[in-house]
Amino acid sequence: MQRNIAIDRSWAILFARLVLGLIFFMAGIHKVFQLGPLEHARKYFLPYADTFLPIWSLWATGVVIPFVELVAGGLVMLGLRMREALVSLGFVLAIVTFGHLLKEPLYEFHTHVIPRLALLLFILLLPREDDRFSLDYLLLFRTNKRVDGKN
């Protein structure tokens, strides 16, 4: 019975990883290869030029975020370097939330931020050893087998 729960948990993490990873990866694909990082910054970050934020920070953040979404989203789908990828995406969500609330203090971000954050927290909080369908798990398992002397 316990084994079924562990496998079910592994499937749950995999599906959460795939959905969250796809959301960010595809956004990154669009922003990097279709819209372009400079246009992304111009369109979505420069409207905040009338706030206290320095222009250089708007350009820097607006250009970098598409690459973070692309790379971290891909890593999440693969289950590789999960902590780093999830923390990076958590910062993206925090930045997006801050920006929206800066312009509109009562912004309803329940359709955009909350579902992504819920998936991110779900994945981040579950034990790494439960994510059996990830590259992190496979690499850890292989490393542990070699350390134990079992091949």
Side-chain angles (χ1 to χ4, degrees):
M1 181 77 114
Q2 288 290 32
R3 185 174 189 128
N4 290 338
I5 292 171
I7 292 295
D8 289 347
R9 204 170 320 168
S10 295
W11 283 112
I13 296 169
L14 172 66
F15 295 139
R17 274 196 303 103
L18 290 174
V19 170
L20 182 67
L22 279 167
I23 289 168
F24 280 105
F25 183 75
M26 296 307 290
I29 290 279
H30 172 74
K31 293 172 186 175
V32 170
F33 299 109
Q34 294 173 336
L35 183 61
L38 293 176
E39 185 58 27
H40 174 261
R42 188 176 293 114
K43 185 174 182 179
Y44 295 109
F45 283 75
L46 288 189
Y48 294 88
D50 62 348
T51 68
F52 67 90
L53 297 170
I55 298 290
W56 66 263
S57 70
L58 298 172
W59 276 108
T61 309
V63 168
V64 168
I65 280 182
F67 292 101
V68 172
E69 290 178 325
L70 177 70
V71 172
L75 290 173
V76 168
M77 285 189 297
L78 296 171
L80 184 62
R81 312 273 316 174
M82 286 298 296
R83 177 172 288 120
E84 295 89 343
L86 291 170
V87 167
S88 298
L89 294 175
F91 277 113
V92 168
L93 291 173
I95 290 167
V96 167
T97 300
F98 171 73
H100 283 294
L101 293 175
L102 185 61
K103 280 287 197 181
E104 190 179 337
L106 299 177
Y107 176 77
E108 295 182 10
F109 56 96
H110 64 277
T111 60
H112 177 78
V113 175
I114 296 299
R116 290 164 176 80
L117 181 62
L119 287 171
L120 188 148
L121 295 176
F122 171 77
I123 299 164
L124 188 61
L125 289 174
L126 286 174
R128 297 284 179 265
E129 60 270 12
D130 289 349
D131 193 3
R132 295 179 184 191
F133 305 125
S134 70
L135 287 179
D136 279 348
Y137 181 87
L138 293 174
L139 293 170
L140 179 65
F141 179 71
R142 289 182 116 184
T143 304
N144 285 344
K145 274 180 82 171
R146 286 192 197 124
V147 169
D148 293 339
K150 301 173 185 173
N151 290 326

